[in-house]
Amino acid sequence: VATTEQLGIEAEAVEIAYGELEQRIQQIGPALIRLPSETTPLFMAVIKGGKKSIKVITPNGKVQHLAPTELRDVLASDLEAPIAPTITTLLAEANVPEERQAATKTAILREQLGQEPIGGCWLLRLSPGDDFLKQIRYARLPRQLLIILGASFIGQLLMLLGWWLLGRGALEGHFEWAWLSAWALLVFTAIPIQLLSFWIENQLSLGLGSLFKQRLLYGILQLEPKEIRHQGSGQFLGRVMEAAALESLALGGGLTALVAVLELFIAITVLTIGAGGIFHALLLIGWLVFTGLLCWYYYLHSNQWVTIYREMTNDLVERMVGHRTRLAQEAPEHWHEEEDQFLERYLHYSKRVDRFNIIIKAIVGRGWLIVGLLGVFYTFIMAPAASTALAISLGGILLASQALSHFVTGISSFTSVMITWKQVAPLFHAAARGQKRPASQFLLPSRIKKKPAQVPVLSARDLSFRYHANGEPVLQACKLEIQKGDRLLLEGPSGGGKSTLSALLAGLLVPESGELLYWGVTQQRLGIKTWRKQIVTAPQFHENHVFTETFLFNLLMGRRWPPLREDLKEAEALCQELGLGDLLERMPAGFQQMVGESGWQLSHGERSRLYIARALLQQADLIILDESFAALDPENLKRALECVLRRASTLLVIAHP
């Protein structure tokens, strides 16, 4: 996993049930599979799965095609070996015909071993923080976009051809059955093309939306604590809401705008052919410029409205979070003063935006009909044209009016996207942090640990840190060495910088000056991700959280998810050592019980022990516990301390005197 992270690739360890092995092999890829071997570990890279054959890179580096059953037999050999001979003997004694023995043996094995897990498989994929266009190309989304545009273009051509057929009949004064049949055929032909466009559009929305959400979630985890420490619950909720809105607006409005541009291009071409010629086309282009100016003014007003909306949402959520405090300590006559001011401003800007939106939608489409018809009238006065040319111009005017309506709808959504993007962009761009590292920084943890015993696990040299550029230093020229196996206790008064030092050692803060080394390797060389995996901290109670998820997720979130069977066993054993066994027995769903704000409410001491277990389960070289024992009673304190001393290879405990 560490190697793939250095390469900018994600590797997810999975276990496959025996009964689903062949089916999963057909769908797998790219993936890395460990082959059974008694000596040197052997790996096979699966490039692409398939029902008939899978494309693999063998241990000798060659690309080959294998039948899914061949790989399945190899992976399941160790699991089948103990019982396969017994089944073969049983079938022979039961006089099962030879031609049916293979199928019967397979059915018995599936029944006996169906739920047994087979490990040694890692799914590989591009990191969500990689170049977003690269991810889009990898997901083959541009092809779907081209299909949508192609289907829209064909649909417009069929519509124009249908108009031409109707116009021809109208100009000749009668309809022939052949032309009428051709028109009906064109109408019915457009239906499957439109359905295809809608279906591909939904597929594109799902694919692009999935990539976008993955990147935002990944980007959130790349943010430094100091970047969001000053923000409240309302601002967090606002970002979540705007991220969800951005996806739907960008996909819906973007496709609508693209199709509208295609329609406008066709309309300009039709108007050029018609009676007005190039003059009529230039008139439409000028109207487009006018439409763009209106949309720009709409953007400015919408931006002001959204700012008020964000402030009001943030204030509302913060007041809901602090509702108990307000009821107990705030005078009732002041409860709604600021709320009324926010609502008044919000209603004022809402009216302005709605009024402007209605004006744009009313003027652009219908206003063009008037301008376009005036252009035809002027052309007819100055240079009378044939009825066919006039009919073409009228068709172009109607087509342009329809395209302008679609364009305004798309631009309205695009305007909302531009405003929303200001809030979501930091999360999107944060995902790219640390993706491209110089070759000189390519270093694996397995190579670091091959160091002499006298080299400290962690060294801090002349660390200095201040929270504000002009503030007083919290730490200055701090030096510290922690050897493997040390058990250190750091005591000091409140506000003395103990937690700040803990955050610096764990990589949660960046020192203003000085140097941090892990087994003699600098933090910059190792990389912050690898550093945080090797040096783990359980922050103070107010900075640690129980998420609204299962108890098991809260235990193993720092290890890996989804967990393997060995993870479950170790988590259960650790909970028993920390005295959380009674809690698991009380909870109806055990490990799968939902906990947190909207689930099972844990006591202060239970949360503290959960935080300790979470840190220990990460199997780091250095564990830092920041006041983790403060809320425990003497009995649980003794039990937790014995567990920590037994399990932590190197330990630093921070406490008050």
Side-chain angles (χ1 to χ4, degrees):
V1 174
T3 305
T4 56
E5 287 182 355
Q6 296 279 9
L7 296 173
I9 301 173
E10 281 200 340
E12 178 186 352
V14 295
E15 287 183 340
I16 304 175
Y18 176 89
E20 303 175 354
L21 184 57
E22 186 171 348
Q23 180 184 0
R24 294 289 298 273
I25 288 175
Q26 295 175 3
Q27 302 170 349
I28 207 169
L32 192 65
I33 297 177
R34 184 176 59 207
L35 302 177
S37 175
E38 297 180 357
T39 56
T40 306
L42 297 177
F43 294 88
M44 175 182 291
V46 179
I47 302 175
K48 187 179 181 180
K51 292 185 178 181
K52 296 183 178 180
S53 67
I54 57 176
K55 191 176 181 180
V56 302
I57 302 177
T58 58
N60 59 10
K62 295 183 179 180
V63 178
Q64 293 185 2
H65 290 269
L66 298 177
T69 52
E70 293 183 85
L71 183 56
R72 176 208 165 280
D73 293 341
V74 172
L75 296 178
S77 58
D78 289 346
L79 201 58
E80 295 175 348
I83 63 174
T86 304
I87 296 175
T88 302
T89 303
L90 179 64
L91 294 177
E93 293 176 352
N95 296 320
V96 176
E98 291 187 6
E99 62 273 12
R100 300 185 60 184
Q101 284 189 11
T104 306
K105 181 179 179 180
T106 301
I108 295 175
L109 286 171
R110 187 169 295 165
E111 183 67 25
Q112 294 291 322
L113 306 173
Q115 298 303 317
E116 291 296 321
I118 297 176
C121 179
W122 291 266
L123 301 179
L124 305 178
R125 53 178 174 262
L126 290 175
S127 170
D130 208 336
D131 182 67
F132 196 62
L133 293 179
K134 181 180 179 181
Q135 296 182 59
I136 290 175
R137 291 195 300 269
Y138 182 77
R140 300 180 180 179
L141 297 182
R143 181 174 61 180
Q144 296 178 353
L145 179 60
L146 290 176
I147 293 175
I148 293 173
L149 294 178
S152 300
F153 182 74
I154 293 173
Q156 291 296 323
L157 290 181
L158 291 175
M159 181 185 67
L160 289 174
L161 189 56
W163 283 2
W164 178 78
L165 290 174
L166 290 176
R168 174 173 180 155
L171 293 174
E172 291 181 355
H174 65 280
F175 280 105
E176 296 182 4
W177 282 108
W179 295 112
L180 193 59
S181 300
W183 173 79
L185 182 62
L186 288 174
V187 172
F188 283 109
T189 303
I191 294 176
I193 293 176
Q194 192 172 17
L195 291 176
L196 173 65
S197 178
F198 288 155
W199 183 75
I200 297 294
E201 184 176 333
N202 288 333
Q203 296 298 313
L204 177 63
S205 299
L206 289 174
L208 194 57
S210 175
L211 292 178
F212 183 71
K213 287 179 179 176
Q214 288 178 14
R215 187 176 181 92
L216 291 186
L217 291 172
Y218 187 79
I220 290 171
L221 297 178
Q222 308 310 308
L223 294 174
E224 299 296 332
K226 63 181 181 180
E227 296 182 73
I228 58 175
R229 188 185 299 274
H230 62 283
Q231 298 179 3
S233 302
Q235 290 170 301
F236 294 149
L237 177 62
R239 280 195 173 185
V240 171
M241 295 169 60
E242 291 182 348
L246 178 65
E247 178 190 345
S248 58
L249 289 171
L251 293 173
L255 289 174
T256 301
L258 281 176
V259 173
V261 169
L262 181 63
E263 292 175 345
L264 286 170
F265 177 78
I266 296 174
I268 291 173
T269 304
V270 172
L271 289 175
T272 304
I273 300 173
I278 192 68
F279 168 75
H280 224 165
L282 292 175
L283 196 62
L284 176 56
I285 293 173
W287 190 258
L288 281 174
V289 173
F290 172 70
T291 302
L293 292 175
L294 290 179
C295 291
W296 173 251
Y297 282 112
Y298 174 72
Y299 166 76
L300 296 178
H301 289 297
S302 297
N303 196 19
Q304 294 175 334
W305 173 75
V306 170
T307 301
I308 299 297
Y309 170 77
R310 289 172 183 161
E311 293 177 357
M312 187 174 65
T313 302
N314 179 42
D315 181 74
L316 174 63
V317 174
E318 293 296 337
R319 290 173 183 270
M320 291 173 64
V321 171
H323 184 63
R324 291 183 182 178
T325 303
R326 293 187 68 197
L327 290 178
Q329 297 182 333
E330 187 178 15
E333 59 269 17
H334 299 307
W335 281 355
H336 305 296
E337 288 181 356
E338 293 186 9
E339 296 170 5
D340 292 340
Q341 294 176 8
F342 272 122
L343 284 173
E344 185 178 354
R345 293 175 61 197
Y346 177 75
L347 289 174
H348 173 70
Y349 279 99
S350 294
K351 290 179 180 179
R352 290 179 60 181
V353 170
D354 290 342
R355 189 184 303 116
F356 211 83
N357 191 20
I358 293 172
I359 291 174
I360 290 178
K361 291 183 177 179
I363 288 180
V364 172
R366 297 179 182 179
W368 162 249
L369 287 176
I370 298 174
V371 173
L373 290 174
L374 289 176
V376 171
F377 181 74
Y378 173 78
T379 302
F380 183 77
I381 296 296
M382 298 300 297
S387 56
T388 303
L390 287 175
I392 293 174
S393 293
L394 291 175
I397 292 171
L398 294 175
L399 180 60
S401 177
Q402 174 184 308
L404 284 169
S405 298
H406 293 164
F407 182 75
V408 167
T409 302
I411 289 297
S412 177
S413 298
F414 188 70
T415 298
S416 300
V417 167
M418 292 174 62
I419 297 172
T420 305
W421 176 250
K422 294 180 181 179
Q423 293 293 311
V424 180
L427 305 181
F428 185 89
H429 294 310
R433 296 177 182 177
Q435 289 300 307
K436 296 182 179 180
R437 296 178 58 192
S440 59
Q441 294 186 7
F442 189 88
L443 193 61
L444 300 180
S446 58
R447 295 179 58 188
I448 298 170
K449 294 183 181 180
K450 297 176 181 179
K451 295 286 184 180
Q454 63 270 22
V455 177
V457 175
L458 177 66
S459 301
R461 300 175 181 173
D462 298 323
L463 287 186
S464 296
F465 181 82
R466 68 183 78 202
Y467 283 100
H468 304 287
N470 299 321
E472 291 293 327
V474 180
L475 296 173
Q476 193 166 13
C478 180
K479 297 180 180 180
L480 175 67
E481 283 191 357
I482 302 178
Q483 299 288 343
K484 183 175 178 61
D486 282 351
R487 270 87 171 107
L488 303 179
L489 174 62
L490 177 61
E491 291 184 328
S494 180
K498 303 186 302 298
S499 298
T500 302
L501 177 61
S502 166
L504 287 169
L505 297 181
L508 298 178
L509 293 176
V510 179
E512 184 180 87
S513 62
E515 192 174 42
L516 285 167
L517 297 96
Y518 167 76
W519 291 109
V521 180
T522 63
Q523 189 180 77
Q524 292 76 14
R525 177 85 189 280
L526 185 61
I528 196 65
K529 287 185 179 180
T530 306
W531 183 278
R532 289 173 180 169
K533 287 185 178 180
Q534 306 305 321
I535 301 173
V536 169
T537 181
Q540 289 188 35
F541 196 86
H542 66 278
E543 290 194 347
N544 220 334
H545 300 278
V546 176
F547 294 91
T548 305
E549 251 290 352
T550 63
F551 188 79
L552 183 63
F553 173 83
N554 278 280
L555 277 173
L556 294 173
M557 58 177 290
R559 186 161 172 155
R560 59 186 161 204
W561 195 264
L564 302 180
R565 183 162 300 188
E566 61 190 69
D567 302 325
L568 302 179
K569 292 181 179 178
E570 187 170 355
E572 184 176 4
L574 182 57
C575 286
Q576 295 296 333
E577 292 180 27
L578 289 171
L580 293 172
D582 293 341
L583 172 65
L584 292 173
E585 292 178 2
R586 292 199 312 271
M587 293 192 297
F591 273 124
Q592 302 304 322
Q593 181 69 44
M594 294 293 293
V595 295
E597 293 296 332
S598 58
W600 189 281
Q601 298 298 311
L602 302 177
S603 69
H604 202 104
E606 289 166 347
R607 288 188 175 217
S608 296
R609 283 175 284 167
L610 169 61
Y611 300 150
I612 294 172
R614 182 190 293 169
L616 292 174
L617 284 169
Q618 295 182 54
Q619 299 177 321
D621 279 357
L622 173 60
I623 302 293
I624 304 174
L625 302 179
D626 192 355
E627 300 185 19
S628 299
F629 302 104
L632 301 181
D633 58 78
E635 181 182 352
N636 282 317
L637 172 60
K638 180 181 178 182
R639 180 181 297 175
L641 189 57
E642 290 176 350
C643 175
V644 169
L645 292 174
R646 184 169 53 251
R647 283 183 170 265
S649 60
T650 307
L651 179 65
L652 172 62
V653 175
I654 298 175
H656 286 290

